[in-house]
Coordinates of all heavy atoms in Angstrom, one line a residue:
F27 N -8.6 14.6 11.5 CA -9.9 14.1 12.1 C -10.5 15.0 13.1 O -11.4 14.7 13.8 CB -9.7 12.7 12.7 CG -9.3 11.7 11.7 CD1 -8.0 11.2 11.6 CD2 -10.2 11.1 10.9 CE1 -7.6 10.3 10.6 CE2 -9.9 10.2 10.0 CZ -8.6 9.8 9.8
N28 N -10.0 16.2 13.1 CA -10.6 17.2 14.0 C -11.9 17.7 13.6 O -12.6 18.3 14.3 CB -9.6 18.4 14.2 CG -8.3 18.1 14.8 OD1 -8.3 17.1 15.6 ND2 -7.3 18.8 14.6
Y29 N -12.3 17.4 12.3 CA -13.6 17.9 11.8 C -14.7 16.8 12.0 O -15.8 17.1 11.7 CB -13.5 18.2 10.3 CG -12.5 19.3 10.1 CD1 -11.2 19.0 9.5 CD2 -12.7 20.6 10.5 CE1 -10.3 20.0 9.3 CE2 -11.8 21.6 10.2 CZ -10.6 21.3 9.6 OH -9.7 22.3 9.4
I30 N -14.4 15.7 12.6 CA -15.3 14.6 12.9 C -15.9 14.8 14.3 O -15.1 14.8 15.2 CB -14.7 13.2 12.7 CG1 -14.2 13.0 11.3 CG2 -15.7 12.1 13.1 CD1 -15.3 12.8 10.2
N31 N -17.1 15.0 14.4 CA -17.7 15.1 15.7 C -17.7 13.7 16.5 O -17.9 12.7 15.8 CB -19.2 15.6 15.6 CG -19.3 17.0 15.2 OD1 -18.4 17.8 15.5 ND2 -20.3 17.3 14.5
P32 N -17.5 13.7 17.8 CA -17.6 12.5 18.5 C -19.0 11.8 18.3 O -20.0 12.5 18.3 CB -17.5 12.9 20.0 CG -16.7 14.2 19.9 CD -17.1 14.9 18.6
G33 N -19.0 10.5 18.1 CA -20.2 9.8 17.8 C -20.7 9.9 16.4 O -21.7 9.3 16.0
A34 N -19.9 10.5 15.5 CA -20.3 10.6 14.1 C -20.3 9.3 13.4 O -19.6 8.3 13.8 CB -19.4 11.6 13.4
R35 N -21.0 9.2 12.2 CA -21.0 8.0 11.4 C -20.6 8.4 10.0 O -21.1 9.4 9.5 CB -22.3 7.3 11.4 CG -22.9 6.9 12.8 CD -22.0 5.7 13.3 NE -22.6 5.2 14.6 CZ -22.1 5.6 15.7 NH1 -21.1 6.5 15.9 NH2 -22.6 5.1 16.8
V36 N -19.7 7.7 9.4 CA -19.4 7.8 7.9 C -19.9 6.6 7.2 O -19.6 5.5 7.6 CB -17.9 8.0 7.7 CG1 -17.5 8.1 6.2 CG2 -17.3 9.2 8.5
V37 N -20.7 6.8 6.2 CA -21.3 5.6 5.5 C -20.7 5.5 4.1 O -20.7 6.5 3.4 CB -22.8 5.8 5.4 CG1 -23.5 4.6 4.7 CG2 -23.5 5.9 6.8
V38 N -20.2 4.4 3.8 CA -19.5 4.1 2.5 C -20.3 3.1 1.8 O -20.6 2.0 2.3 CB -18.1 3.6 2.7 CG1 -17.4 3.3 1.4 CG2 -17.3 4.6 3.5
T39 N -20.7 3.4 0.5 CA -21.5 2.4 -0.3 C -20.5 1.5 -1.1 O -19.6 2.0 -1.7 CB -22.4 3.2 -1.3 OG1 -23.2 4.1 -0.6 CG2 -23.3 2.2 -2.1
S40 N -20.8 0.3 -1.0 CA -19.9 -0.7 -1.7 C -20.9 -1.5 -2.6 O -21.9 -1.1 -3.0 CB -19.1 -1.5 -0.8 OG -18.2 -2.4 -1.5
S41 N -20.5 -2.8 -2.8 CA -21.3 -3.7 -3.6 C -20.9 -5.1 -3.2 O -19.8 -5.4 -2.8 CB -21.0 -3.5 -5.1 OG -21.6 -4.6 -5.8
G42 N -21.9 -6.0 -3.3 CA -21.6 -7.4 -3.0 C -20.6 -8.0 -3.9 O -20.0 -9.0 -3.6
L43 N -20.4 -7.3 -5.0 CA -19.4 -7.9 -6.0 C -18.0 -7.8 -5.4 O -17.1 -8.5 -6.0 CB -19.4 -7.1 -7.3 CG -20.7 -7.3 -8.1 CD1 -20.7 -6.4 -9.4 CD2 -20.8 -8.8 -8.5
H44 N -17.7 -7.1 -4.4 CA -16.4 -7.0 -3.8 C -15.9 -8.4 -3.3 O -14.8 -8.6 -3.1 CB -16.3 -6.0 -2.7 CG -16.8 -6.5 -1.4 ND1 -18.2 -6.4 -1.0 CD2 -16.2 -7.1 -0.3 CE1 -18.3 -6.9 0.2 NE2 -17.2 -7.4 0.6
S45 N -16.9 -9.3 -3.0 CA -16.6 -10.6 -2.5 C -16.5 -11.7 -3.5 O -16.5 -12.9 -3.1 CB -17.6 -10.9 -1.4 OG -18.9 -11.0 -1.9
L46 N -16.4 -11.4 -4.8 CA -16.3 -12.4 -5.8 C -15.0 -13.2 -5.5 O -14.0 -12.6 -5.1 CB -16.2 -11.8 -7.2 CG -17.5 -11.2 -7.8 CD1 -17.2 -10.5 -9.1 CD2 -18.5 -12.2 -7.9
P47 N -15.0 -14.5 -5.8 CA -13.8 -15.3 -5.5 C -12.5 -14.8 -6.2 O -11.4 -14.9 -5.6 CB -14.1 -16.7 -6.0 CG -15.6 -16.7 -6.1 CD -16.1 -15.3 -6.3
S48 N -12.6 -14.2 -7.3 CA -11.4 -13.8 -8.1 C -11.0 -12.3 -7.8 O -10.1 -11.8 -8.4 CB -11.7 -13.9 -9.6 OG -12.8 -13.1 -10.0
T49 N -11.7 -11.7 -6.8 CA -11.4 -10.3 -6.6 C -10.4 -10.1 -5.5 O -10.6 -10.6 -4.4 CB -12.7 -9.5 -6.1 OG1 -13.7 -9.7 -7.1 CG2 -12.4 -8.1 -5.9
S50 N -9.2 -9.6 -5.8 CA -8.2 -9.3 -4.9 C -7.3 -8.2 -5.5 O -7.4 -7.9 -6.6 CB -7.4 -10.6 -4.6 OG -6.5 -10.9 -5.6
F51 N -6.5 -7.7 -4.6 CA -5.5 -6.7 -5.1 C -4.4 -7.4 -5.8 O -3.5 -6.8 -6.4 CB -4.9 -5.9 -3.9 CG -6.0 -5.0 -3.3 CD1 -6.3 -5.2 -1.9 CD2 -6.7 -4.1 -4.0 CE1 -7.2 -4.4 -1.3 CE2 -7.6 -3.3 -3.4 CZ -7.9 -3.4 -2.0
G52 N -4.3 -8.7 -5.7 CA -3.2 -9.5 -6.3 C -1.9 -9.1 -5.7 O -1.8 -8.7 -4.5
N53 N -0.9 -9.2 -6.5 CA 0.5 -8.8 -6.0 C 1.0 -7.5 -6.6 O 2.2 -7.2 -6.6 CB 1.5 -9.9 -6.3 CG 1.6 -10.2 -7.8 OD1 1.0 -9.6 -8.6 ND2 2.3 -11.2 -8.1
F54 N 0.1 -6.7 -7.2 CA 0.4 -5.4 -7.8 C 1.3 -5.6 -9.0 O 2.0 -4.7 -9.4 CB 0.9 -4.4 -6.8 CG 0.0 -4.1 -5.7 CD1 0.0 -4.8 -4.5 CD2 -0.9 -3.1 -5.8 CE1 -0.9 -4.5 -3.5 CE2 -1.8 -2.8 -4.8 CZ -1.8 -3.5 -3.6
E55 N 1.3 -6.8 -9.5 CA 2.2 -7.1 -10.7 C 1.9 -6.2 -11.9 O 2.8 -5.8 -12.6 CB 1.9 -8.6 -11.1 CG 2.8 -9.1 -12.2 CD 4.2 -9.4 -11.7 OE1 4.4 -9.5 -10.5 OE2 5.1 -9.4 -12.6
G56 N 0.7 -5.7 -12.0 CA 0.3 -4.9 -13.2 C 0.8 -3.5 -13.1 O 0.7 -2.8 -14.1
I57 N 1.2 -3.0 -12.0 CA 1.6 -1.6 -11.9 C 3.1 -1.3 -11.8 O 3.5 -0.2 -11.9 CB 0.8 -0.9 -10.8 CG1 1.3 -1.4 -9.4 CG2 -0.7 -1.0 -10.9 CD1 0.7 -0.6 -8.2
I58 N 3.8 -2.3 -11.6 CA 5.3 -2.2 -11.4 C 6.0 -2.4 -12.8 O 5.8 -3.4 -13.4 CB 5.8 -3.1 -10.4 CG1 5.1 -3.0 -9.0 CG2 7.3 -3.0 -10.2 CD1 5.3 -1.6 -8.4
D59 N 6.9 -1.4 -13.1 CA 7.7 -1.6 -14.3 C 8.9 -2.4 -13.8 O 9.7 -2.1 -13.0 CB 8.2 -0.2 -14.7 CG 9.1 -0.3 -16.0 OD1 9.8 -1.2 -16.2 OD2 9.0 0.7 -16.8
H60 N 9.1 -3.6 -14.4 CA 10.1 -4.6 -14.0 C 11.5 -4.1 -14.3 O 12.4 -4.5 -13.6 CB 9.8 -5.9 -14.6 CG 8.6 -6.5 -14.1 ND1 8.4 -7.0 -12.8 CD2 7.4 -6.7 -14.7 CE1 7.2 -7.5 -12.7 NE2 6.5 -7.3 -13.8
E61 N 11.7 -3.2 -15.2 CA 13.0 -2.7 -15.5 C 13.4 -1.6 -14.5 O 14.6 -1.6 -14.1 CB 13.0 -2.1 -17.0 CG 12.8 -3.1 -18.0 CD 12.8 -2.5 -19.4 OE1 13.2 -1.3 -19.6 OE2 12.4 -3.2 -20.4
T62 N 12.5 -0.7 -14.1 CA 12.9 0.3 -13.2 C 12.5 0.1 -11.8 O 13.0 0.7 -10.8 CB 12.2 1.7 -13.7 OG1 10.8 1.5 -13.5 CG2 12.6 2.0 -15.1
G63 N 11.5 -0.8 -11.6 CA 11.0 -1.1 -10.2 C 10.0 0.0 -9.8 O 9.6 0.0 -8.6
K64 N 9.7 0.9 -10.6 CA 8.8 2.0 -10.3 C 7.4 1.8 -10.8 O 7.1 0.9 -11.6 CB 9.3 3.4 -10.8 CG 10.6 3.8 -10.3 CD 11.1 5.1 -10.8 CE 12.4 5.4 -10.2 NZ 12.9 6.7 -10.7
I65 N 6.4 2.5 -10.3 CA 5.0 2.4 -10.8 C 4.9 2.9 -12.2 O 5.4 4.0 -12.5 CB 4.1 3.2 -9.9 CG1 4.1 2.6 -8.5 CG2 2.7 3.2 -10.4 CD1 3.3 3.3 -7.5
Q66 N 4.3 2.1 -13.1 CA 4.1 2.5 -14.5 C 3.1 3.7 -14.6 O 2.2 3.8 -13.7 CB 3.6 1.3 -15.3 CG 4.5 0.2 -15.3 CD 3.9 -0.9 -16.2 OE1 3.5 -0.7 -17.3 NE2 3.8 -2.1 -15.6
E67 N 3.2 4.5 -15.6 CA 2.3 5.5 -15.8 C 0.9 5.0 -16.3 O -0.1 5.5 -16.0 CB 2.8 6.6 -16.8 CG 3.9 7.4 -16.2 CD 4.3 8.5 -17.2 OE1 3.4 9.0 -18.0 OE2 5.4 8.9 -17.1
R68 N 1.0 3.9 -17.1 CA -0.2 3.3 -17.6 C -0.1 1.8 -17.4 O 0.9 1.2 -17.6 CB -0.4 3.5 -19.2 CG -0.5 5.0 -19.5 CD -0.5 5.2 -21.0 NE -1.3 6.3 -21.3 CZ -2.5 6.3 -21.9 NH1 -3.1 5.1 -22.2 NH2 -3.2 7.4 -22.1
F69 N -1.2 1.2 -17.0 CA -1.2 -0.2 -16.8 C -2.6 -0.7 -17.0 O -3.6 0.0 -17.0 CB -0.7 -0.6 -15.4 CG -1.4 0.1 -14.2 CD1 -2.5 -0.5 -13.7 CD2 -0.9 1.3 -13.7 CE1 -3.2 0.1 -12.6 CE2 -1.6 1.9 -12.7 CZ -2.7 1.3 -12.1
Q70 N -2.8 -2.0 -17.1 CA -4.1 -2.7 -17.3 C -4.8 -2.9 -16.0 O -5.3 -1.9 -15.4 CB -3.9 -4.0 -18.1 CG -3.5 -3.8 -19.5 CD -4.5 -3.0 -20.4 OE1 -5.7 -3.3 -20.3 NE2 -4.0 -2.1 -21.2
M71 N -4.7 -4.1 -15.5 CA -5.3 -4.4 -14.2 C -4.2 -4.4 -13.1 O -3.0 -4.7 -13.5 CB -6.0 -5.7 -14.2 CG -7.2 -5.7 -15.2 SD -8.6 -4.7 -14.7 CE -9.3 -5.6 -13.4
I72 N -4.5 -4.2 -11.9 CA -3.6 -4.1 -10.8 C -2.8 -5.4 -10.7 O -1.7 -5.4 -10.2 CB -4.3 -3.7 -9.5 CG1 -3.2 -3.2 -8.5 CG2 -5.1 -4.8 -8.9 CD1 -3.9 -2.4 -7.4
D73 N -3.4 -6.6 -11.1 CA -2.7 -7.9 -10.9 C -2.0 -8.2 -12.2 O -1.4 -9.3 -12.3 CB -3.7 -8.9 -10.5 CG -4.8 -9.2 -11.6 OD1 -4.8 -8.5 -12.6 OD2 -5.7 -10.0 -11.4
G74 N -2.0 -7.4 -13.2 CA -1.2 -7.6 -14.4 C -2.0 -8.3 -15.5 O -1.5 -8.5 -16.6
S75 N -3.3 -8.7 -15.2 CA -4.1 -9.3 -16.3 C -4.7 -8.3 -17.2 O -4.6 -7.1 -17.0 CB -5.2 -10.1 -15.6 OG -6.1 -9.2 -14.9
S76 N -5.2 -8.7 -18.3 CA -5.9 -7.8 -19.3 C -7.1 -7.1 -18.6 O -7.7 -7.7 -17.7 CB -6.3 -8.6 -20.5 OG -5.2 -9.2 -21.1
F77 N -7.4 -6.0 -19.2 CA -8.5 -5.2 -18.6 C -9.8 -6.0 -18.7 O -10.1 -6.6 -19.7 CB -8.7 -3.9 -19.3 CG -9.8 -3.0 -18.8 CD1 -9.6 -2.3 -17.6 CD2 -11.0 -3.0 -19.4 CE1 -10.6 -1.5 -17.1 CE2 -12.1 -2.2 -18.9 CZ -11.9 -1.5 -17.8
D78 N -10.6 -6.0 -17.6 CA -11.9 -6.6 -17.5 C -12.8 -5.7 -16.8 O -12.5 -5.4 -15.6 CB -11.8 -8.0 -16.9 CG -13.1 -8.7 -16.7 OD1 -13.9 -8.3 -15.8 OD2 -13.4 -9.6 -17.5
H79 N -13.8 -5.1 -17.4 CA -14.6 -4.1 -16.7 C -15.3 -4.6 -15.5 O -15.5 -3.9 -14.5 CB -15.6 -3.5 -17.7 CG -16.7 -4.4 -18.2 ND1 -16.5 -5.4 -19.2 CD2 -18.0 -4.5 -17.8 CE1 -17.6 -6.0 -19.4 NE2 -18.5 -5.6 -18.5
K80 N -15.8 -5.9 -15.5 CA -16.5 -6.4 -14.3 C -15.5 -6.6 -13.1 O -15.8 -6.2 -12.0 CB -17.1 -7.7 -14.6 CG -18.3 -7.6 -15.5 CD -18.9 -9.0 -15.8 CE -20.0 -8.8 -16.8 NZ -20.6 -10.2 -17.1
Q81 N -14.3 -7.1 -13.5 CA -13.3 -7.2 -12.4 C -12.8 -5.9 -11.9 O -12.6 -5.7 -10.7 CB -12.1 -8.0 -13.0 CG -11.0 -8.4 -12.0 CD -11.5 -9.4 -11.0 OE1 -12.5 -10.0 -11.1 NE2 -10.6 -9.6 -10.0
C82 N -12.7 -4.9 -12.8 CA -12.3 -3.6 -12.4 C -13.3 -3.0 -11.4 O -13.0 -2.4 -10.4 CB -12.2 -2.7 -13.6 SG -11.4 -1.1 -13.3
Y83 N -14.6 -3.2 -11.7 CA -15.6 -2.7 -10.8 C -15.6 -3.4 -9.5 O -15.7 -2.7 -8.4 CB -17.0 -2.9 -11.5 CG -18.2 -2.4 -10.6 CD1 -18.5 -1.1 -10.6 CD2 -18.9 -3.3 -9.8 CE1 -19.6 -0.7 -9.7 CE2 -19.9 -2.9 -9.0 CZ -20.3 -1.6 -9.0 OH -21.3 -1.2 -8.2
A84 N -15.4 -4.7 -9.5 CA -15.3 -5.4 -8.2 C -14.1 -5.0 -7.4 O -14.2 -4.8 -6.2 CB -15.2 -6.9 -8.5
I85 N -13.0 -4.8 -8.0 CA -11.8 -4.3 -7.3 C -12.0 -2.9 -6.7 O -11.6 -2.6 -5.6 CB -10.6 -4.4 -8.2 CG1 -10.1 -5.8 -8.4 CG2 -9.4 -3.6 -7.5 CD1 -9.0 -6.0 -9.4
S86 N -12.7 -2.1 -7.4 CA -13.0 -0.7 -6.9 C -13.9 -0.8 -5.7 O -13.8 0.0 -4.7 CB -13.6 0.2 -8.0 OG -15.0 -0.1 -8.2
K87 N -14.8 -1.8 -5.7 CA -15.7 -1.9 -4.5 C -14.9 -2.5 -3.3 O -15.2 -2.2 -2.2 CB -16.9 -2.8 -4.8 CG -17.8 -2.2 -5.9 CD -18.3 -0.8 -5.5 CE -18.1 0.2 -6.6 NZ -18.4 1.5 -6.2
L88 N -13.9 -3.4 -3.6 CA -13.1 -3.9 -2.6 C -12.3 -2.8 -2.0 O -12.0 -2.8 -0.8 CB -12.2 -5.0 -3.2 CG -11.2 -5.7 -2.2 CD1 -11.9 -6.4 -1.1 CD2 -10.3 -6.7 -3.0
C89 N -11.8 -1.9 -2.8 CA -11.1 -0.7 -2.3 C -12.0 0.1 -1.4 O -11.5 0.7 -0.3 CB -10.6 0.2 -3.5 SG -9.3 -0.5 -4.4
N90 N -13.3 0.3 -1.7 CA -14.2 1.0 -0.8 C -14.3 0.3 0.6 O -14.3 1.0 1.6 CB -15.6 1.0 -1.4 CG -15.8 1.9 -2.5 OD1 -14.8 2.6 -2.9 ND2 -16.9 2.0 -3.1
V91 N -14.3 -1.0 0.6 CA -14.4 -1.8 1.9 C -13.1 -1.6 2.6 O -13.1 -1.3 3.8 CB -14.7 -3.3 1.6 CG1 -14.6 -4.1 2.9 CG2 -16.1 -3.4 1.0
A92 N -11.9 -1.7 1.9 CA -10.6 -1.5 2.6 C -10.5 -0.1 3.2 O -10.0 0.1 4.3 CB -9.5 -1.8 1.6
F93 N -11.0 0.9 2.4 CA -11.0 2.3 2.9 C -11.8 2.4 4.2 O -11.4 3.0 5.2 CB -11.5 3.2 1.8 CG -11.8 4.6 2.4 CD1 -10.9 5.5 2.7 CD2 -13.2 4.9 2.5 CE1 -11.2 6.8 3.2 CE2 -13.5 6.2 3.0 CZ -12.5 7.1 3.4
C94 N -13.0 1.8 4.1 CA -13.9 1.9 5.3 C -13.3 1.3 6.5 O -13.4 1.8 7.6 CB -15.2 1.2 4.9 SG -16.5 1.4 6.2
L95 N -12.7 0.1 6.4 CA -12.1 -0.5 7.5 C -10.9 0.3 8.1 O -10.8 0.4 9.3 CB -11.6 -1.9 7.1 CG -12.6 -3.0 6.8 CD1 -12.0 -4.2 6.2 CD2 -13.5 -3.3 8.0
A96 N -10.1 0.9 7.3 CA -9.0 1.7 7.7 C -9.5 3.0 8.4 O -9.0 3.4 9.4 CB -8.1 2.0 6.6
L97 N -10.5 3.6 7.8 CA -11.1 4.8 8.4 C -11.7 4.5 9.7 O -11.6 5.3 10.7 CB -12.1 5.4 7.4 CG -12.8 6.7 7.9 CD1 -11.8 7.8 8.1 CD2 -13.9 7.1 6.9
N98 N -12.4 3.4 9.8 CA -13.1 3.0 11.1 C -12.0 2.9 12.2 O -12.3 3.3 13.3 CB -13.9 1.7 11.0 CG -14.7 1.5 12.2 OD1 -15.5 2.3 12.6 ND2 -14.5 0.3 12.7
R99 N -10.9 2.3 11.9 CA -9.8 2.2 12.9 C -9.3 3.5 13.4 O -9.1 3.8 14.6 CB -8.6 1.4 12.4 CG -8.9 -0.1 12.4 CD -7.6 -0.9 12.1 NE -7.0 -0.6 10.8 CZ -7.3 -1.2 9.7 NH1 -8.1 -2.2 9.7 NH2 -6.7 -0.8 8.6
R100 N -9.2 4.5 12.4 CA -8.7 5.8 12.8 C -9.8 6.6 13.6 O -9.4 7.5 14.3 CB -8.3 6.5 11.5 CG -7.1 6.0 10.9 CD -6.8 6.6 9.6 NE -5.5 6.3 9.0 CZ -5.3 5.1 8.3 NH1 -6.3 4.3 8.1 NH2 -4.1 4.8 7.8
L101 N -11.0 6.3 13.4 CA -12.1 7.1 14.0 C -12.4 6.6 15.4 O -13.1 7.3 16.2 CB -13.4 7.1 13.2 CG -13.3 7.8 11.8 CD1 -14.7 7.6 11.1 CD2 -13.0 9.2 12.0
Q102 N -11.9 5.5 15.8 CA -12.3 4.9 17.1 C -11.9 5.9 18.2 O -12.6 6.0 19.2 CB -11.6 3.6 17.3 CG -12.3 2.5 16.5 CD -11.6 1.2 16.7 OE1 -10.5 1.1 17.2 NE2 -12.2 0.1 16.2
S103 N -10.8 6.6 18.1 CA -10.3 7.5 19.2 C -11.3 8.7 19.3 O -11.3 9.3 20.4 CB -8.9 8.0 18.9 OG -8.9 8.8 17.7
R104 N -12.1 9.0 18.3 CA -13.1 10.1 18.4 C -14.5 9.5 18.7 O -15.5 10.2 18.6 CB -13.2 10.8 17.1 CG -11.8 11.4 16.7 CD -11.6 12.8 16.7 NE -12.7 13.7 16.6 CZ -12.8 14.8 17.4 NH1 -11.8 15.0 18.2 NH2 -13.8 15.6 17.3
N105 N -14.6 8.2 19.1 CA -15.9 7.6 19.3 C -16.8 7.7 18.1 O -18.0 7.9 18.3 CB -16.5 8.1 20.6 CG -17.7 7.3 21.0 OD1 -17.7 6.0 20.8 ND2 -18.7 7.8 21.7
A106 N -16.2 7.6 16.9 CA -17.0 7.7 15.7 C -16.8 6.4 14.9 O -15.9 5.6 15.3 CB -16.5 8.9 14.8
K107 N -17.6 6.2 13.9 CA -17.6 4.9 13.2 C -17.7 5.1 11.7 O -18.3 6.1 11.2 CB -18.7 4.0 13.6 CG -18.6 3.4 15.0 CD -19.7 2.4 15.2 CE -19.6 1.8 16.6 NZ -20.6 0.8 16.9
A108 N -17.0 4.3 11.0 CA -17.2 4.2 9.5 C -17.8 2.8 9.2 O -17.4 1.8 9.7 CB -15.9 4.3 8.8
V109 N -18.9 2.8 8.5 CA -19.6 1.6 8.1 C -19.8 1.5 6.6 O -19.9 2.6 5.9 CB -21.0 1.4 8.8 CG1 -20.8 1.3 10.3 CG2 -21.9 2.6 8.5
C110 N -19.7 0.3 6.0 CA -20.0 0.2 4.6 C -21.1 -0.8 4.4 O -21.4 -1.6 5.2 CB -18.8 -0.2 3.8 SG -18.0 -1.7 4.3
F111 N -21.8 -0.6 3.3 CA -23.0 -1.4 3.0 C -23.1 -1.6 1.5 O -22.6 -0.9 0.7 CB -24.3 -0.8 3.6 CG -24.8 0.3 2.8 CD1 -26.0 0.1 2.0 CD2 -24.3 1.5 2.8 CE1 -26.5 1.1 1.2 CE2 -24.8 2.6 2.0 CZ -25.9 2.3 1.2
T112 N -23.9 -2.6 1.2 CA -24.3 -2.8 -0.2 C -25.8 -2.7 -0.3 O -26.5 -3.2 0.4 CB -23.8 -4.2 -0.7 OG1 -24.3 -4.4 -2.1 CG2 -24.3 -5.3 0.1
P113 N -26.2 -1.8 -1.3 CA -27.6 -1.6 -1.4 C -28.4 -2.8 -2.1 O -29.6 -2.8 -2.2 CB -27.7 -0.3 -2.3 CG -26.5 -0.4 -3.1 CD -25.4 -1.0 -2.2
G114 N -27.6 -3.8 -2.6 CA -28.3 -4.9 -3.3 C -28.6 -4.4 -4.7 O -28.2 -3.4 -5.2
L115 N -29.3 -5.3 -5.4 CA -29.7 -4.9 -6.8 C -30.8 -3.9 -6.8 O -31.8 -4.2 -6.2 CB -30.1 -6.2 -7.6 CG -29.0 -7.2 -7.8 CD1 -29.5 -8.5 -8.4 CD2 -27.8 -6.6 -8.6
I116 N -30.6 -2.8 -7.4 CA -31.6 -1.8 -7.5 C -32.2 -1.7 -8.9 O -31.5 -1.7 -9.8 CB -31.0 -0.4 -7.1 CG1 -30.5 -0.5 -5.6 CG2 -32.0 0.7 -7.2 CD1 -29.8 0.7 -5.1

């Protein structure tokens, strides 16, 4: 974080779809190989369900929000902020 100037702002674009009721990281059921306990090389959805492009997009936007919140916590010591927003329907 030495490259972030004090007072800087990092802007992350997300989407309102991150707040869909069915959007969550789940329990990561879809990425764990139950025989080995390790992360699978290929998997469908992170929660173990079949691939759904809308759900996949919504989860990726939820990841953007989670990243922004974590980055904002780390930037506080530099008096900088990370903010995320949704541009709405364009």
Side-chain angles (χ1 to χ4, degrees):
F27 294 102
N28 293 333
Y29 300 108
I30 299 287
N31 290 329
R35 301 290 184 264
V36 177
V37 180
V38 178
T39 304
S40 186
S41 169
L43 290 176
H44 80 274
S45 62
L46 289 176
S48 63
T49 304
S50 75
F51 295 121
N53 59 4
F54 298 93
E55 186 74 20
I57 65 172
I58 303 297
D59 183 325
H60 295 289
E61 293 179 15
T62 65
K64 297 181 179 179
I65 295 175
Q66 299 182 52
E67 286 187 30
R68 297 175 150 254
F69 55 90
Q70 292 295 318
M71 297 293 287
I72 199 165
D73 63 359
S75 62
S76 297
F77 181 78
D78 178 283
H79 67 281
K80 290 180 186 177
Q81 186 71 7
C82 191
Y83 179 81
I85 289 172
S86 75
K87 298 304 131 184
L88 181 59
C89 289
N90 286 358
V91 173
F93 165 75
C94 185
L95 292 171
L97 180 60
N98 189 54
R99 282 193 299 271
R100 289 173 174 84
L101 292 177
Q102 287 177 349
S103 65
R104 305 248 339 136
N105 193 30
K107 290 185 179 182
V109 294
C110 56
F111 78 104
T112 176
L115 295 174
I116 297 176

